[in-house]
């Protein structure tokens, strides 16, 4: 099962020498080094997180303080502030749409998967680089082009796309429907085509690299859980993103070429449009066939990162390694057969609804296995509360509290009452948005020393964690209550209704908490960029971790290891092993060197290991004598 390319080993020095011939453009801009591409994804993701977060602050100002004059924003928003000093209702819809699109796709998909899949896969499996460095570079630049197009759409006269991040037709299909259905929607669709191409190129690369370029001894049963998570995430993306591409293509046809895939029996100002025979529900099926797997494209990498961080900082082996893998496999398969739980109110057959309800509740089982295993790993561990550890524990907290509300929404009878209320907003922002964001931040704190050779400031990390953790709960916990009361999503102004007017104070509270939480992210931003240049210099293995990336130099060059790629002899979670001299044993330490801590089955493997090492030594001597 373990594979290693001989050529891959032999080119060690070629790769390392190549680094010295790089100029600024080939090293920092059009780089084919997976580590630099990972950093490019990270910095671009941080930029988009600031944009997406700022958009949410704008519409929370409107929701929390509907009578407040926003005249002070006129220099920034121009004509989108009307003559009375209020936010334009059409622009409000655009803000909600762009916030969702940016956060789900640009931050939590590209920013999370793009960063850590690129950075960690070759380092943790023992490879020089990705299978195709050129395709890897293209993957980033397609994402960058997608971002540029989406950014341009923020500044056009009619405004960016305004049909919600799910862009349901007919609103998104008819340019005359609202200003946000015009050029802004066209640019949204073009940007998403580039984004999907980027995701597919990345996914193919990740899968190929993990299957083919593992170092000697790195069997699938010795892969860190991070790599399992990135691998299965790439599989999900490869199977689901093409469906969104098809949905977007048919929407382009309906918008620009007079087809009727999604349109039928439409009247505008009393005049019938010629479109007949289409179905807007078809779009919902196509969109959510990507949309629900997308939840796990966002969540699985964060869970993988959390597995690694919690095991390392609990100084304990991850509890239930095989159960964790099986649960991720279960999530991967089930994620494709639950999409219609987003559509319980679309008029579907109740029997079909009951099937999707059953499947939705089943997917809670592998998720619960993961939570149980995290808590059991933490239980009686020798916990080290680094900022990464705190953010990982925060992820587990959000995964529990947000996941529990998913059981309510998975029940079709209850969902019909709660659909399109703030209960749904609270649910997915906790379980998907905040949990994945915490996983991403935990990964940055944990692997920052390997990325930049320096340490982030831990005290600032603690302040960042507590402000963000408390802030997220203060924002999204009250939303459950107003959602149960029937408070609807995407309403620009709700003060005209008696049943919503009673929640004015709660909305003000949520908005104030959201603004403070957003402001606290600038602590992280300062810490990130300051530490990059001025942080304390890192040692080779600052967290005393077992995985392969910590065997490279402090700042690995192109090719990662200056000499031979190390051979792997054990799984990555030998922490606090009874009888061991230290509380961690790296994957590269042969079992024959640790007889005092070997388990009975490992002792049986020592003989085989010694025979292999003897054969390797003979081959090495033979090769040297030839030269």
């Amino acid at each position: 099962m373990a594979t290693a390319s001989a050529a891959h080993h032999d080119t060690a020095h070629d790769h390392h020498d190549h680094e010295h011939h790089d100029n600024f453009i080939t090293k920092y801009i059009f780089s084919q080094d997976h580590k630099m591409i990972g950093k490019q994804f990270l910095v671009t993701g941080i930029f988009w997180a600031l944009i997406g977060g700022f958009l949410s602050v704008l519409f929370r100002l409107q929701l929390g303080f509907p009578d407040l004059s926003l005249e002070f924003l006129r220099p920034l928003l121009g004509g989108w502030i009307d003559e009375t000093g209020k936010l334009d209702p059409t622009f409000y819809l655009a803000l909600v749409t762009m916030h969702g699109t940016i956060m789900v796709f640009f931050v939590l998909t590209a920013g999370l998967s793009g960063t850590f899949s690129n950075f960690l896969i070759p380092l943790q499996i023992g490879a020089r680089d990705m299978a195709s460095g050129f395709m890897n570079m293209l993957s980033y630049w397609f994402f960058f082009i997608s971002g540029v197009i989406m950014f341009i759409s923020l500044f056009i006269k009619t405004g960016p796309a305004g049909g919600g991040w799910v862009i349901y037709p007919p609103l998104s299909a008819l340019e005359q429907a609202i200003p946000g259905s015009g050029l802004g929607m066209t640019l949204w669709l073009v940007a998403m085509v580039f984004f999907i191409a980027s995701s597919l190129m990345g996914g193919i690369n990740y899968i190929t690299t993990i299957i083919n370029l593992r170092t000697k001894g790195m069997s699938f049963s010795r892969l860190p859980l991070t790599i399992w998570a990135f691998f299965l995430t790439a599989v999900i993306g490869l199977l689901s993103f093409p469906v969104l591409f098809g949905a977007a293509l048919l929407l382009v046809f309906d918008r620009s070429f007079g087809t009727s895939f999604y349109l039928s029996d439409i009247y505008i100002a009393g005049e019938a449009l010629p479109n007949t025979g289409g179905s807007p529900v078809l779009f919902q099926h196509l969109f959510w066939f990507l949309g629900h797997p997308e939840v796990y494209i966002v969540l699985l990498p964060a869970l993988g990162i959390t597995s690694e961080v919690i095991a390392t900082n609990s100084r304990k082996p991850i509890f239930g390694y095989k159960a964790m893998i099986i649960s991720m496999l279960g999530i991967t398969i089930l994620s494709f057969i639950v999409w219609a739980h987003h559509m319980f109110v679309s008029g579907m057959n109740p029997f079909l609804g009951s099937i999707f309800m059953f499947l939705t509740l089943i997917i809670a089982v592998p998720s619960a296995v993961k939570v149980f295993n995290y808590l059991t790993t933490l239980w009686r561990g020798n916990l080290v509360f680094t900022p990464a550890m705190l953010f990982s524990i925060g992820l587990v907290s959000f995964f529990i509290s947000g996941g529990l509300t998913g059981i309510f929404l998975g029940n079709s009878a209850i969902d019909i009452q709660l659909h399109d209320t703030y209960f749904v907003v609270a649910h997915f922002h906790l379980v998907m948005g905040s949990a994945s964001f915490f996983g991403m931040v935990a990964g940055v704190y944990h692997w920052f020393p390997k990325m930049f050779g320096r340490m982030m400031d831990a005290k600032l990390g603690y302040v960042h964690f507590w402000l963000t953790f408390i802030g997220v709960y203060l924002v999204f916990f009250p939303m459950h209550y107003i959602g149960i009361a029937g408070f609807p999503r995407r309403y620009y102004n709700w003060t005209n209704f008696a049943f919503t007017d009673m929640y004015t104070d709660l909305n003000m509270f949520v908005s104030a908490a959201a603004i403070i939480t957003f402001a606290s992210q600038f602590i992280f931003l300062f810490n990130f960029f300051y530490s990059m240049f001025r942080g304390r210099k890192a040692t080779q293995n600052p967290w005393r971790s077992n995985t392969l990336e910590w065997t490279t130099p402090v700042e690995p060059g192109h090719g990662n290891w200056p000499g031979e790629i190390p051979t792997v002899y054990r799984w990555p979670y030998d922490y606090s092993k009874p009888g061991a001299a230290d509380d961690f044993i790296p994957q590269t330490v042969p079992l024959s060197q640790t007889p005092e801590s070997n388990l009975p089955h490992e002792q049986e493997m020592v003989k085989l290991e010694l025979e292999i090492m003897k054969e390797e030594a003979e081959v090495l001597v033979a090769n040297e004598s030839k030269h």
Side-chain angles (χ1 to χ4, degrees):
M1 214 150 182
T3 59
S5 162
H8 207 52
H9 280 268
D10 293 340
T11 53
H13 300 291
D14 297 339
H15 271 279
H16 210 60
D17 292 341
H18 173 67
E19 187 189 8
H20 301 295
H21 304 305
D22 281 346
N23 57 38
F24 180 84
I25 290 176
T26 57
K27 186 171 181 181
Y28 294 105
I29 301 175
F30 297 113
S31 175
Q32 295 188 29
D33 181 358
H34 71 99
K35 299 180 292 299
M36 184 55 65
I37 293 170
K39 293 175 199 174
Q40 288 174 326
F41 270 106
L42 178 59
V43 172
T44 312
I46 289 172
F47 167 79
W48 278 113
L50 290 174
I51 299 286
F54 178 66
L55 298 182
S56 70
V57 166
L58 292 179
F59 63 71
R60 275 314 320 177
L61 281 173
Q62 168 62 34
L63 283 168
F65 312 97
D67 298 323
L68 176 72
S69 171
L70 299 178
E71 194 64 42
F72 65 94
L73 289 171
R74 188 178 292 280
L76 182 66
L77 300 181
W80 297 116
I81 302 293
D82 64 22
E83 57 277 2
T84 63
K86 297 289 191 293
L87 194 69
D88 184 279
T90 307
F91 191 63
Y92 174 84
L93 294 177
L95 288 174
V96 174
T97 301
M98 296 305 286
H99 167 74
T101 303
I102 288 166
M103 288 307 205
V104 171
F105 293 115
F106 288 7
V107 178
L108 295 176
T109 302
L112 178 53
S113 272
T115 298
F116 292 104
S117 295
N118 270 308
F119 190 80
L120 289 179
I121 286 173
L123 285 171
Q124 289 198 334
I125 68 170
R128 293 288 177 204
D129 209 311
M130 284 289 180
S132 170
F134 180 72
M135 189 188 283
N136 213 17
M137 179 187 75
L138 278 184
S139 171
Y140 172 73
W141 285 104
F142 269 65
F143 166 52
F144 186 84
I145 292 167
S146 168
V148 168
I149 295 168
M150 198 69 81
F151 192 69
I152 288 170
S153 78
L154 294 170
F155 299 97
I156 60 175
K157 188 176 180 182
T158 52
W165 80 277
V166 294
I167 59 160
Y168 283 175
L171 188 62
S172 61
L174 300 171
E175 295 192 18
Q176 63 269 48
I178 56 171
S181 293
L183 178 59
M185 183 60 69
T186 302
L187 291 173
W188 191 99
L189 290 165
V190 173
M192 286 311 298
V193 167
F194 278 97
F195 180 83
I196 292 165
S198 162
S199 298
L200 294 177
M201 283 189 284
I204 291 168
N205 227 351
Y206 306 152
I207 292 167
T208 308
T209 306
I210 292 168
I211 290 174
N212 292 319
L213 299 185
R214 286 168 288 124
T215 189
K216 188 167 188 180
M218 182 63 85
S219 63
F220 270 96
S221 59
R222 289 174 177 171
L223 286 175
L225 288 171
T226 39
I227 302 300
W228 272 105
F230 300 149
F231 178 69
L232 294 172
T233 300
V235 170
I236 295 173
L238 211 56
L239 295 174
S240 61
F241 267 116
V243 180
L244 180 64
F245 179 84
L249 196 63
L250 298 185
L251 186 54
V252 170
F253 286 164
D254 274 12
R255 286 172 56 81
S256 304
F257 301 108
T259 57
S260 301
F261 290 107
Y262 306 131
L263 299 174
S264 186
D265 307 312
I266 306 285
Y267 292 82
I268 292 184
E271 184 182 341
L273 297 188
N275 306 84
T276 55
S279 169
V281 176
L282 168 64
F283 179 87
Q284 292 190 30
H285 280 292
L286 294 173
F287 180 88
W288 287 115
F289 191 83
L290 165 276
H292 200 79
E294 171 66 18
V295 170
Y296 297 102
I297 290 171
V298 163
L299 200 50
L300 279 178
L303 294 173
I305 288 167
T306 296
S307 302
E308 184 64 31
V309 171
I310 284 181
T312 300
N313 291 295
S314 297
R315 312 312 295 166
K316 272 178 67 179
I318 192 81
F319 184 86
Y321 173 80
K322 286 182 181 173
M324 290 292 241
I325 295 168
I326 292 166
S327 67
M328 284 195 285
L329 282 165
I331 286 170
T332 299
I333 295 164
L334 288 168
S335 71
F336 284 101
I337 50 175
V338 296
W339 78 88
H341 66 214
H342 297 270
M343 299 168 57
F344 285 143
V345 296
S346 67
M348 69 158 63
N349 186 313
F351 176 71
L352 190 62
S354 67
I355 292 171
F356 277 102
M357 181 182 89
F358 174 68
L359 293 168
T360 299
L361 296 179
I362 284 178
I363 207 169
V365 175
S367 303
V369 168
K370 294 193 76 65
V371 166
F372 175 80
N373 286 4
Y374 288 138
L375 296 178
T376 320
T377 305
L378 290 165
W379 177 252
R380 302 190 72 176
N382 186 14
L383 305 183
V384 183
F385 289 110
T386 63
M389 180 65 154
L390 289 174
F391 275 97
S392 293
I393 295 170
L395 178 149
V396 177
S397 172
F398 294 148
F399 199 49
I400 295 170
S401 53
L404 287 172
T405 56
I407 296 172
F408 291 83
L409 293 170
N411 187 313
S412 55
I414 300 173
D415 180 73
I416 287 166
Q417 307 301 320
L418 294 175
H419 188 83
D420 264 350
T421 68
Y422 267 82
F423 192 90
V424 178
V425 177
H427 159 70
F428 75 76
H429 274 85
L430 278 180
V431 78
M432 183 183 85
S434 302
S436 301
F437 176 74
F438 266 47
M440 181 176 172
V441 173
V444 173
Y445 279 110
H446 190 73
W447 280 287
F448 191 89
K450 186 51 58 184
M451 288 181 180
F452 301 105
R454 294 179 181 270
M455 306 292 286
M456 291 182 78
D457 186 89
K459 288 179 182 173
L460 286 177
Y462 296 142
V463 175
H464 176 221
F465 168 75
W466 285 111
L467 285 174
T468 309
F469 181 71
I470 294 167
V472 165
Y473 269 129
L474 291 180
V475 170
F476 297 115
F477 229 80
M479 284 188 188
H480 291 94
Y481 295 103
I482 62 176
I484 290 170
F487 198 97
R489 293 173 72 180
R490 303 189 178 107
Y491 271 43
Y492 162 77
N493 196 334
W494 38 267
T495 51
N496 302 329
F497 309 103
F499 82 99
T500 54
D501 209 17
M502 61 192 288
Y503 291 107
T504 303
D505 291 346
L506 208 51
N507 256 308
M508 289 173 64
F509 177 82
V510 167
S511 290
I515 292 165
I516 293 167
T517 307
F518 175 70
S520 67
Q521 303 318 302
F522 286 91
I523 298 169
F524 169 78
L525 205 65
F526 169 79
N527 196 358
F528 181 84
F529 287 105
Y530 180 83
S531 300
M532 194 186 295
F533 301 104
R534 306 291 296 276
R536 180 167 54 87
K537 289 197 172 181
T539 56
Q540 186 181 18
N541 188 359
W543 315 123
R544 294 159 60 81
S545 190
N546 290 341
T547 42
L548 282 182
E549 73 270 28
W550 304 107
T551 64
T552 64
V554 175
E555 289 189 79
H558 201 135
N560 297 336
W561 287 269
E564 285 289 310
I565 298 175
T567 302
V568 167
Y569 298 98
R570 57 181 74 232
W571 78 321
Y573 299 110
D574 268 343
Y575 292 107
S576 301
K577 205 171 181 186
D582 213 336
D583 73 344
F584 73 110
I585 309 173
Q587 284 188 281
T588 53
V589 175
L591 293 166
S592 55
Q593 291 182 18
T594 57
E596 69 283 351
S597 63
N598 287 346
L599 299 172
H601 74 277
E602 291 173 329
Q603 206 60 44
E604 292 169 14
M605 292 167 64
V606 170
K607 189 176 178 184
L608 178 65
E609 184 186 281
L610 289 170
E611 287 176 8
I612 293 169
M613 289 167 76
K614 184 181 175 185
E615 285 176 13
E616 283 180 348
E618 289 171 357
V619 170
L620 194 63
V621 169
N623 286 341
E624 283 178 358
S625 63
K626 282 180 188 175
H627 290 299

